[in-house]
């Protein structure tokens, strides 16, 4: 099975990046946040794995963290938008 992968640099969050792999059908295989609050980022990653990219984008886009203009889940949605357009290899 072909896969696609992205290493996304986050902005405006405690996490510094997100490493994501999806298959050719846009099913998320792996998500790993770099930095950030482990309880939240590990939880978000596990909830995303095995789901379709579009479903996760719909669930996480626009979530804010306190008074910040974004959040780790929102950054995940932004990374997934890019990954969705990436061809599988």
């Amino acid at each position: 099975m072909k896969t696609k992968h992205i290493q996304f640099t986050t902005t405006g969050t405690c996490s510094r990046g997100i490493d994501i792999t999806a298959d050719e059908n846009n099913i998320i295989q792996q998500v790993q946040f770099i930095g950030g609050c482990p309880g939240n980022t590990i939880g978000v990653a596990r909830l995303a794995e095995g789901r379709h990219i579009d479903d996760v984008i719909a669930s996480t886009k626009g979530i804010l963290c306190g008074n910040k203009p974004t959040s780790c889940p929102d950054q995940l949605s932004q990374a997934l938008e890019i990954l969705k357009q990436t061809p599988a290899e």
Side-chain angles (χ1 to χ4, degrees):
M1 178 176 288
K2 294 181 179 183
T3 61
K4 46 189 169 178
H5 177 258
I6 187 173
Q7 291 180 319
F8 181 80
T9 301
T10 58
T11 57
T13 61
C14 298
S15 65
R16 298 180 308 277
I18 312 170
D19 189 89
I20 312 166
T21 303
D23 69 17
E24 60 193 333
N25 298 312
N26 287 329
I27 303 300
I28 300 167
Q29 302 299 309
Q30 172 269 330
V31 176
Q32 181 179 10
F33 283 84
I34 312 305
C37 174
N40 288 329
T41 57
I42 291 169
V44 169
R46 286 190 185 167
L47 290 170
E49 290 170 358
R51 294 180 62 200
H52 193 278
I53 286 176
D54 290 335
D55 294 337
V56 176
I57 291 170
S59 297
T60 59
K61 189 173 187 172
I63 293 175
L64 305 181
C65 183
N67 61 356
K68 295 178 182 178
T70 189
S71 66
C72 290
D74 184 57
Q75 291 290 293
L76 175 61
S77 73
Q78 292 178 37
L80 291 173
E81 292 278 5
I82 295 168
L83 184 60
K84 185 175 162 181
Q85 304 305 318
T86 303
E89 297 180 2

